[in-house]
Amino acid sequence: MNWLFRWQHVAPSTQLLGERGLLEALRQLQGFEAPANSWERQILARRVANYDPKELDQLCLTGAVGWDASRLIPRR
């Protein structure tokens, strides 16, 4: 299990840094589906040290990353 935490950059000593680290984390998580409200606080903040939501905004604004919610199924 420790290997998985290190590989996913969840272990404190393996967290990524800055915008480049955020981009690396997003590449690693490409295709992973999770509720929208969990991405910043629960997923990205655990993988990127001192995570700043402005960095994700910047990556989206420049077109470096994008989101596709077409596979989401509405709740009934």
Side-chain angles (χ1 to χ4, degrees):
M1 192 62 102
N2 287 332
W3 176 85
L4 181 61
F5 291 152
R6 287 191 308 273
W7 180 64
Q8 284 291 319
H9 305 288
V10 178
S13 62
T14 63
Q15 286 183 308
L16 302 166
L17 299 172
E19 192 173 293
R20 282 186 164 194
L22 176 58
L23 188 56
E24 183 178 337
L26 290 169
R27 284 183 179 144
Q28 189 173 23
L29 292 164
Q30 184 176 356
F32 177 72
E33 293 183 19
N37 63 356
S38 67
W39 275 96
E40 290 192 296
R41 282 191 230 148
Q42 297 173 347
I43 297 172
L44 298 176
R46 290 185 179 166
R47 288 164 172 79
V48 180
N50 301 316
Y51 171 73
D52 183 354
K54 292 176 188 174
E55 292 173 345
L56 179 58
D57 292 344
Q58 185 63 29
L59 289 174
C60 290
L61 288 171
T62 62
V65 298
W67 300 100
D68 179 7
S70 63
R71 293 183 51 183
L72 297 178
I73 301 169
R75 289 186 181 185
R76 293 180 187 205

